[in-house]
Amino acid sequence: MDEIFILAEHIKGKITDTTYEILTLGREISAKMNRPLKAVLLGKGVGNLAMDLGYADGVVMMEHDLLANVNIQTWSIALMHIIKEKKPEMVIMGSTNSLMGLGSYIAEKMGLPYMNLCKGLRVEDQQVVGNAILYGGKIEADVRPCAKPILVSVRPGNYPGDPARTRREVPVECVTPPDTLMEAKINFKEFIQAERKDIDITQCDVLVAVGRGIQNKENIVHAETLAKIFKNAAVVGSRPIIDQEWLPLTRLVGRSGMSVRPKLYLALGISGAPEHMEGMKGAQLIVAINKDKKAPIFRIAHYGVAEDLFKVIPKLAERLKK
Amino acid sequence: MMDEQPKSTVQEDIERLFLLPEGQRVLSCIQCGTCAGTCPHGEYMEYTPRKIIAMLRAGQIDEVINSKSMLKCLSCYACQLKCPRGIKLTDVLLPIIKGKVFESIVEMPPDLQRSFENTLRYGNPMGESPKKRAEWTKNSKVPVRILKENPAPVDVLWIVECYPSYHPRGIDVTLATARTFHRLGIDFAILGEEERCIGDCAGYFGEFGLQEALIEYSLNIFRKYKFNRIVTSGSHAFNTFQRWYPRYDFNIPVHHAMPFIATYIDRLKPFLKKPLNYTVTYHDPCCLGRCVGVSLPECFYHQPRILLSSIPGIKVVEMVHHRENSICCGGGGGGMWLDTYFKAEGMERLSERVVKEAVAAGADVLAVSCDYEISRFEDAVKVLGLEEKIKVKDIMELIDESAGGDETL
Amino acid sequence: MKILVLIKMVLDTVEEIKIDPSGKKVDTDAARFILNDVDNHAVEEAILLKEKYGGHVTVLAVDAPEIDDALFTAAAKGADRIIKVTTGMEQMSTQTMAKLLHSAIQNMNTQFDLILTGVQASDDIDGEIGPSLAAQFNLPYIGMAVKVLPDPQGRSTEVVTELGGGLYASYRSSLPVIVGISAAEKPPRYVPIMKVRMAMKSKKIETIPAPAPPPGSKIDVLKLYKPVVTGGAAMITGTPEQIADNLVKIFRDRGLS
């Protein structure tokens, strides 16, 4: 009872990055409130994934065919049952595409408080307070639940996942699936991997962007080197780069191209034309490298480096590879 | 005898319009093709004006409407100027056809769609906050009166327009203009937050509903204040005032900032002390040339040249295509937001053509007067890698530079 | 096929957002509102389905500033009925709005096959409309949809959802179902202003008066505030090696490498 639960998310047999992030958060809360941290694992044949959740103190598992792949309806039935049985203090889940709607559905069904859009949680006087981001990041809100158990949805990218990637054996409590699971009206059919001639840059976590400061097509290899080191990264460009066909149209960021909000936007030799900034100013972390310290990009970047990018990039690549 | 195909409603609609006198003139086309030859996008247009008229006569106008050819028309008036029959192609034929295209277009290029949605919502195509329209005044060392704060009667209502209010290079020109007005002792004020797009491109593209909404809005705002005349920094806005506003009983005198200050040349000359050693070529914008020649007795070809010659040290050279033969910068008729679309269609950018001609003429400064042109030509200069060879400046900037800019106020 | 689309207005963030003196609400006096972008996609998806399969589209919203424009625009695109619920209540949380919509829909006495809404909004502090309604109506819910392929005879539908990074998942659901749209199959069409004006003259927005609901939210907003913003970039200086070291640290702290 009163334990801190996090909901483990898995896709195609792998625990997602966001799950590790909320494990880190869960561990923080668990330490501050002195409660055990448990990971809720729903699925079919997922016993082997329990070890990946070893950062928690234990795993609460429910297995059934209908839970094999994430499905808002079956997973909400399962989770509601677990909440009723185990009476946790809170259930933290990631604000991810596949879990979209889960927290809201359960909150309404069970009359529970739901703190949505959170970038973080903190504990004040043994009470949890959520820090939510509204209106595309323009307003933050501190929110507090009025009842228990508490449901929380945390946005990806706010906690480091790496500390939580510990594989170790932890006790697994198995929960019998409720009969109501069979009443589900939604069935998972299949995964579809999109056939793309090129990647969808709006789905990348890291974008290494080149502007005219890259000087010529051959130099783009510097950006590619960096992109390869990061996960889920791609090289993109501003208008002049695409116009000169140094990169295809699918890599254009800006008014006439894509609007992107990656975790990291590394702008190399980009001055920051208004049309370009429109397409990337929503990025979570903007780091700009441009020789010109007056370049407009520095107005919206979080960190700036007014140095020759050709001097900095090789050093950066070297260190990141370690 | 074969059964004739029943006419489509679009065909009938258009034919009805051609029963009017101007419309009848359109139908007197001799199919010479001069329009197609003059059109800067002629080689990319499936349906040039000549062909449109031929299709209309053949009862096949639907094909024209369903093609995307009309998106490439920049409403630059080149065809209308050269038509040996004096047919009002850009004024009458093309807006009607474009209007029909617009009504039925299935997939509108996203940039253009966004520019219309932004203009309707925020009063500017960039989607900037209307509240920030007068932010530039904070950087002005000369006082700029905003009517909402001080509604006393004023001589000149200065309509700054969208790009000159929000775009960094546009703001450079606007600040220079403010300084020049100040030096000339002009009594002026701006609308600030209350100003919205005057309604230029919407009409030439066929979005008449948007244009009407914008014109109605502006007229309502104008009624609130007392002023003698309007001076605008927007060349497209200037053209809209001449071309479309009179339909709404609007009869206030309107000037474009550049020819306006040219009328004060004697008062201006004493300020132009600093010699500028540039070789300048002037790009005649469509809106102050061919377009406006339709509604006004004269085009503004000599005013910019008078202004340039008044600046000490400046040598004026002419591009091959100048005055009435000037090549459109590519921004008219919605073209400002169709660059990506044009690129995808494999079209050469007109702004690059102009920059190449400017360099070929021996200029190291390309002077402009149209608010769309600075960003378009600077873009072209960068893409062509000619930053070391040529700079783009608005005439107002050159005047201000010779007058000492901020320092000699 | 009878389709219901739920839309709502959200604060237009192009303008500066002000927080009211209480610190717990947004100051809406000078604020502008815009149709929630994904709700616009939901409308588009509904119209596309109607064009493909035939049927009837109802667009329903809770009254809010500038909602009339959004409703008339939906009508100009092809919506058959446009309805708004009036309560006199100014701001409300998403869950509270969901309760209001629930009673309004119940009183409409129409059996809808498909209920579409935008999957999320920027002010969903306590939940989303779609799943909240699904819970109240005891209907299945699928979120992040990018394609809806109904089989009206078979009383079921396939829904494709986007998981990100080019991966999609396909589900089959019985009808009726509530679907949270992430993107319509085609980008929302442009409606010439003329057509919207014509819709304003020819169509009427039906109004359903409703009493102000009790707050549906079980969370308390302690305070709203603007995130701490440093003016411009924090500049990193030093030798290229030092700069690189600094950058790596920043990336590692953010879990990026």
Side-chain angles (χ1 to χ4, degrees), chain C residues 108-215:
Chain C
M108 278 167 71
N109 262 316
T110 313
Q111 188 60 291
F112 291 105
D113 300 301
L114 205 52
I115 299 179
L116 304 181
T117 183
V119 69
Q120 60 190 326
S122 58
D123 57 1
D124 278 345
I125 199 171
D126 60 356
E128 298 105 28
I129 293 284
S132 295
L133 274 176
Q136 291 177 79
F137 278 116
N138 220 10
L139 285 177
Y141 173 76
I142 303 177
M144 297 308 290
V146 294
K147 229 188 234 199
V148 181
L149 302 145
D151 174 12
Q153 277 73 35
R155 299 295 301 155
S156 73
T157 179
E158 184 183 335
V159 178
V160 178
T161 68
E162 69 173 338
L163 298 178
L167 186 63
Y168 298 82
S170 156
Y171 295 87
R172 180 152 287 283
S173 171
S174 61
L175 295 179
V177 63
I178 301 188
V179 180
I181 299 285
S182 165
E185 284 167 66
K186 293 212 188 109
R189 67 197 66 189
Y190 182 75
V191 193
I193 310 299
M194 242 12 149
K195 284 208 174 137
V196 179
R197 287 181 155 201
M198 283 185 342
M200 286 179 179
K201 296 199 184 106
S202 60
K203 266 207 135 65
K204 224 179 152 288
I205 299 177
E206 300 169 45
T207 47
I208 301 179

Side-chain angles (χ1 to χ4, degrees), chain A residues 7-11 14-19 40 70 75 94 96-99:
Chain A
L7 178 63
E9 182 196 14
H10 56 89
I11 294 180
K14 234 178 133 247
I15 299 284
T16 64
D17 289 341
T18 312
T19 306
V40 176
V70 70
W75 278 39
T96 59
N97 284 7
S98 69
L99 299 177

Side-chain angles (χ1 to χ4, degrees), chain A residues 13-49:
Chain A
K14 234 178 133 247
I15 299 284
T16 64
D17 289 341
T18 312
T19 306
Y20 293 113
E21 291 174 18
I22 57 172
L23 269 170
T24 303
L25 165 61
R27 178 52 74 205
E28 231 182 72
I29 305 292
S30 140
K32 293 210 175 110
M33 294 182 80
N34 205 9
R35 312 275 177 88
L37 172 67
K38 301 268 173 81
V40 176
L41 180 58
L42 309 172
K44 176 71 183 172
V46 288
N48 60 311
L49 296 178

Side-chain angles (χ1 to χ4, degrees), chain B residues 218-231:
Chain B
S218 292
L219 292 177
N220 273 331
I221 294 288
F222 296 163
R223 279 183 207 116
K224 280 169 68 170
Y225 303 110
K226 280 198 157 51
F227 50 91
N228 299 326
R229 46 204 177 143
I230 288 176
V231 174

Side-chain angles (χ1 to χ4, degrees), chain B residues 16-213:
Chain B
R16 211 173 301 131
L17 292 162
F18 285 116
L19 293 174
L20 306 168
E22 248 347 295
Q24 300 214 316
R25 193 160 193 85
V26 171
L27 295 172
S28 73
C29 164
I30 56 173
Q31 294 283 290
C32 68
T34 305
C35 51
T38 319
C39 174
H41 277 165
E43 60 193 295
Y44 310 114
M45 303 275 266
E46 255 184 280
Y47 297 102
T48 57
R50 177 190 76 76
K51 210 158 178 198
I52 294 174
I53 295 173
M55 298 294 276
L56 187 61
R57 287 177 180 159
Q60 290 175 10
I61 200 67
D62 282 71
E63 251 185 72
V64 178
I65 308 292
N66 295 331
S67 90
K68 284 210 173 131
S69 183
M70 296 319 298
L71 288 174
K72 297 172 185 165
C73 168
L74 303 167
S75 294
C76 74
Y77 282 80
C79 55
Q80 179 161 318
L81 182 75
K82 300 288 184 183
C83 173
R85 297 290 274 168
I87 297 172
K88 295 227 193 311
L89 296 167
T90 322
D91 259 358
V92 174
L93 173 69
L94 296 171
I96 291 173
I97 302 296
K98 282 197 191 184
K100 286 288 176 203
V101 169
F102 185 68
E103 273 172 37
S104 60
I105 196 166
V106 172
E107 264 175 53
M108 197 152 113
D111 286 358
L112 189 58
Q113 178 166 337
R114 235 174 309 176
S115 81
F116 285 152
E117 287 166 356
N118 285 337
T119 305
L120 178 69
R121 213 179 141 71
Y122 305 110
N124 66 83
M126 302 87 106
E128 300 276 359
S129 162
K131 293 208 167 70
K132 300 213 171 103
R133 205 172 173 106
E135 284 279 294
W136 65 266
T137 57
K138 299 196 175 129
N139 291 329
S140 174
K141 300 246 164 48
V142 307
V144 177
R145 171 149 76 112
I146 299 178
L147 282 172
K148 195 169 179 192
E149 294 159 17
N150 177 355
V154 69
D155 178 23
V156 167
L157 169 59
W158 177 23
I159 301 283
V160 184
E161 260 288 291
C162 309
Y163 274 82
S165 298
Y166 291 111
H167 194 283
R169 281 295 281 131
I171 292 174
D172 287 340
V173 179
T174 301
L175 290 169
T177 307
R179 289 191 284 268
T180 305
F181 284 171
H182 178 80
R183 290 187 173 107
L184 291 173
I186 310 269
D187 172 31
F188 69 92
I190 65 172
L191 288 171
E193 277 179 34
E194 293 188 298
E195 189 188 291
R196 295 269 190 283
C197 174
I198 290 298
D200 20 327
C201 284
Y204 279 118
F205 189 78
E207 211 332 350
F208 298 117
L210 175 58
Q211 187 183 53
E212 194 173 74

Side-chain angles (χ1 to χ4, degrees), chain A residues 139-151:
Chain A
I139 297 277
E140 287 190 21
D142 280 350
V143 291
R144 189 180 49 196
C146 305
K148 280 195 238 200
I150 306 157
L151 298 169

